[in-house]
Amino acid sequence: MRSEKKRKESRSLLIAGGFSFLFSAAILFGARLDSVENVDVKDITLWLQLAAFTVIFTGLSLLLWRLMDGLQDRGVSFAGKTVNKITGVFNVTDAQADVAAFLFLLLCWLPVFLAVYPGFFVYDAQDEYIQVATRVFSTHHPLVHVLLLGGMLCGVHKLTGSYNLGIACYMVFQMVLAAGVFTFLFSYLRTKKVSRMLRLVGLVWLGVFPTVVMFTLCSAKDALFTLALLLLLVCLLEMGTGETFFDARGWQLLFVLGGMGMMLLRNNGFYAFLVMIPLLLLVQKKRRGRLLFLSLCAVAGCMLINGGLKAALHAEDSEYQELLTVPIQQLARTYQYAPDVFSGEELKSLYEILDEETLSLYTPRLSDPVKYRFDNETFARNKGKYAKLWLRVGMKKPLIYLNAWWMTSYGFWYPDTIINVYGGNTVFTFTYKDNSYFGYEVEQPGVRESKIPWLNEVYRKLSLEVWKEKIPVISWLFSPGAMFWLYAFLFAWLLNNGRYELLRPFLPMFVIWLTVLLGPTYLPRYVLFLWYAFPLLLAVTQMGMRGEKT
């Protein structure tokens, strides 16, 4: 008995210590990257601070976990029985509750839609529209989304002569789809006996929190991608906690469709799903053959659709810079800060794929200025040559390589990051100044026609001004880094309690988060799932507090 207790204490200390070490490193490294754009790993002060912070946060984590376990041991739900009694006075059927949730979400979003009419047509929107308008396609953006967005815009314009109406139709389509997926989520959580108040909190969050609303009314592919991912998360939760997933065709079909959706709508979704398959098979104790079959169906469906569209549209597929974002940025940073490390032959090779003018455009937080002028054709002719160049230079200056990567990714793991990667860049209707949290504008051929100007101004300030990220506590709700660590803290607690079945649904989220670390910069749009899945996280936390296997 004593030995078992000691093992549990050691396990808790190990998990809390590991979490605290990573969290402390994120704070200390991130603060240096934010202020001086460099982490000096030879600084002894840094490591002394890391040790001290790790000890402090380990103690705090263990204390908070003990409090949460106390609730668990007493069988107290997250919101409490009293809250359920209060909300229980509303005697409505499940169907009525679902309709009310669906309408509530649409009514919350409608005033903002009218304020920013025809919606946020931004983040590659013009490029996707032009592909359809000119019938010249590439695989730079997912073809499914290109056809959906550009096709709807061109089709409505052809019928009505209005581009704005075409954009608005797409926004209404996305709003209705999002409301439907969110309603399905809350309906499912009701079957898992998640408290009414917690479902209400989640509903209000999805209805009014600005980050959720911004992207629900945004033409970027991120919203549809995240909705598909959310359906997949629900399937994985049912797989781990339910009894009928592998006997219910509806659940299995939803798993395939959710997986296909995330793979079709973002390239990193495809890679993340492939990585997720063996991990799922590892934790799935029964029906592994069926799980493998469903996963392969999703992959095959994605490849058939993508391959068919690519062939039918004669889409160009010759770009490498999206996959090589980090190596390109590492070479550019090394050239900027330590050009002497390049030999004459190495410099000649570098200029073949990145000329001097391009290398001079290096900015630490954003790879786009250099990446967009990368010579794909030259690289394609001798990939091995340039891979060896990258490796040789990296062996000479590994710390520069590390800092180059951290500078484009630290916003995903540093809680106090100010999102200002586009500072100074001029777009269609404004110039980014001290904040680039959200794109906000309407790209051509659309134009803003606000029906509620004061609310439009509120969202302009939320998108382009820094004040929200300087308000204590509130700023964390807008921060990708802070939201990530909230998830990580609760995951560590579930891991400590052996609730692996509740961790499973978030596996694809974590894999996708790892892939965005290799992206061109840090923006909330790339990790929108941190906000869309927040009600699911709260629900899973309540399930973990119940103490028994669900």
Side-chain angles (χ1 to χ4, degrees):
M1 187 75 174
R2 198 170 186 178
S3 174
E4 179 66 22
K5 182 179 179 181
K6 192 171 182 179
R7 277 198 299 270
K8 287 183 178 179
E9 289 176 350
S10 298
R11 172 187 170 86
S12 296
L13 185 62
L14 180 63
I15 295 174
F19 165 81
S20 300
F21 174 80
L22 294 173
F23 180 58
S24 301
I27 290 176
L28 294 170
F29 283 38
R32 285 161 171 78
L33 292 168
D34 210 42
S35 59
V36 298
E37 301 181 352
N38 182 67
V39 175
D40 182 6
V41 297
K42 298 177 183 178
D43 181 5
I44 189 65
T45 303
L46 172 66
W47 299 106
L48 292 175
Q49 290 175 330
L50 180 58
F53 275 43
T54 299
V55 171
I56 293 170
F57 285 123
T58 298
L60 288 174
S61 297
L62 290 172
L63 178 60
L64 288 172
W65 290 354
R66 190 169 300 167
L67 292 174
M68 295 167 72
D69 289 339
L71 292 175
Q72 180 190 68
D73 293 339
R74 293 195 298 272
V76 179
S77 69
F78 185 87
K81 296 179 180 178
T82 303
V83 170
N84 277 334
K85 289 181 179 179
I86 294 173
T87 57
V89 301
F90 301 101
N91 188 22
V92 296
T93 64
D94 290 348
Q96 289 172 329
D98 291 342
V99 171
F102 181 83
L103 294 177
F104 173 81
L105 290 169
L106 290 180
L107 289 174
C108 285
W109 300 334
L110 181 60
V112 184
F113 171 62
L114 295 174
V116 302
Y117 185 87
F120 299 113
F121 189 67
V122 69
Y123 293 130
D124 307 315
Q126 186 191 63
D127 187 31
E128 294 189 43
Y129 152 71
I130 289 175
Q131 286 193 42
V132 176
T134 62
R135 305 296 194 272
V136 178
F137 296 91
S138 77
T139 57
H140 184 75
H141 305 295
L143 290 171
V144 167
H145 191 259
V146 169
L147 292 177
L148 179 61
L149 176 61
M152 193 173 295
L153 180 54
C154 290
V156 174
H157 174 260
K158 188 173 183 178
L159 292 173
T160 67
S162 171
Y163 287 112
N164 268 12
L165 187 58
I167 296 171
C169 286
Y170 177 85
M171 298 305 169
V172 171
F173 160 77
Q174 188 163 275
M175 287 166 60
V176 171
L177 185 62
V181 172
F182 293 153
T183 300
F184 169 74
L185 169 64
F186 291 117
S187 178
Y188 174 73
L189 295 181
R190 183 172 58 244
T191 68
K192 308 304 286 186
K193 296 182 173 56
V194 175
S195 68
R196 293 186 183 96
M197 180 53 75
L198 196 58
R199 299 200 309 269
L200 180 60
V201 169
L203 187 65
V204 172
W205 169 269
L206 294 175
V208 304
F209 191 75
T211 306
V212 175
V213 179
M214 287 170 180
F215 286 99
T216 301
L217 298 175
C218 178
S219 63
K221 56 186 172 286
D222 307 290
L224 294 184
F225 165 82
T226 309
L227 291 174
L229 174 62
L230 189 58
L231 291 176
L232 184 63
L233 301 186
V234 174
C235 289
L236 292 176
L237 180 59
E238 178 62 20
M239 188 187 298
T241 62
E243 299 290 335
T244 61
F245 178 88
F246 288 105
D247 297 317
R249 292 182 179 178
W251 278 114
Q252 295 175 54
L253 177 62
L254 191 62
F255 175 88
V256 172
L257 293 177
M260 284 177 57
M262 65 174 280
M263 287 187 283
L264 287 169
L265 288 163
R266 279 228 306 242
N267 291 330
N268 67 327
F270 181 80
Y271 303 126
F273 194 87
L274 291 182
V275 172
M276 184 190 73
I277 293 174
L279 297 177
L280 278 179
L281 293 173
L282 185 64
V283 300
Q284 180 65 32
K285 296 180 180 179
K286 299 178 181 178
R287 309 293 290 272
R288 285 178 175 167
R290 170 62 65 170
L291 177 57
L292 179 60
F293 173 74
L294 294 174
S295 301
L296 293 178
C297 283
V299 173
C302 171
M303 294 180 70
L304 285 172
I305 292 173
N306 263 339
L309 289 176
K310 181 181 173 182
L313 300 173
H314 304 288
E316 295 182 6
D317 185 16
S318 59
E319 294 185 344
Y320 295 94
Q321 65 263 43
E322 295 301 325
L323 289 174
L324 300 174
T325 286
V326 172
I328 289 171
Q329 194 76 340
Q330 289 170 331
L331 286 169
R333 184 181 178 95
T334 306
Y335 180 85
Q336 183 84 3
Y337 293 118
D340 293 342
V341 306
F342 291 90
S343 68
E345 189 63 31
E346 289 170 343
L347 206 55
K348 180 181 176 182
S349 297
L350 178 65
Y351 288 157
E352 290 171 358
I353 52 174
L354 296 166
D355 60 41
E356 290 185 75
E357 183 182 354
T358 298
L359 290 165
S360 70
L361 298 176
Y362 170 77
T363 56
R365 292 176 174 82
L366 179 67
S367 70
D368 289 354
V370 176
K371 179 187 72 177
Y372 284 154
R373 299 177 64 171
F374 178 75
D375 193 329
N376 283 285
E377 292 183 7
T378 301
F379 174 81
R381 286 196 292 267
N382 197 343
K383 299 174 187 176
K385 172 184 176 180
Y386 302 109
K388 291 176 182 177
L389 168 67
W390 171 79
L391 184 60
R392 287 197 305 268
V393 174
M395 292 176 68
K396 297 175 187 177
K397 289 292 181 179
L399 296 184
I400 289 183
Y401 268 34
L402 274 177
N403 278 287
W405 174 41
W406 289 337
M407 281 303 300
T408 55
S409 64
Y410 79 95
F412 293 128
W413 44 266
Y414 176 52
D416 290 328
T417 307
I418 301 297
I419 307 293
N420 191 29
V421 300
Y422 293 133
N425 286 13
T426 298
V427 288
F428 289 96
T429 59
F430 61 86
T431 297
Y432 286 104
K433 295 181 181 178
D434 60 357
N435 198 247
S436 47
Y437 189 84
F438 180 69
Y440 171 72
E441 72 173 347
V442 179
E443 293 182 1
Q444 296 174 0
V447 61
R448 175 72 35 83
E449 295 177 346
S450 176
K451 315 300 181 185
I452 311 176
W454 70 265
L455 187 55
N456 175 54
E457 180 63 14
V458 168
Y459 271 83
R460 187 195 69 79
K461 291 179 179 294
L462 284 167
S463 302
L464 304 175
E465 296 183 6
V466 74
W467 57 271
K468 66 186 178 300
E469 291 159 273
K470 295 195 173 185
I471 302 174
V473 181
I474 296 297
S475 64
W476 296 342
L477 297 177
F478 288 91
S479 166
M483 290 292 288
F484 167 76
W485 285 110
L486 174 61
Y487 277 79
F489 174 79
L490 292 172
F491 292 169
W493 172 68
L494 290 171
L495 180 64
N496 183 58
N497 289 340
R499 301 302 302 273
Y500 308 117
E501 80 283 4
L502 298 178
L503 283 170
R504 179 187 314 196
F506 298 99
L507 180 60
M509 272 181 52
F510 178 66
V511 177
I512 291 169
W513 182 84
L514 290 176
T515 67
V516 301
L517 298 182
L518 302 175
T521 190
Y522 50 87
L523 286 171
R525 58 177 291 209
Y526 298 134
V527 286
L528 182 60
F529 51 79
L530 295 175
W531 288 275
Y532 272 32
F534 187 59
L536 183 61
L537 178 71
L538 296 180
V540 166
T541 302
Q542 182 192 5
M543 293 178 183
M545 285 182 174
R546 289 177 184 158
E548 78 281 358
K549 301 288 183 183
T550 306

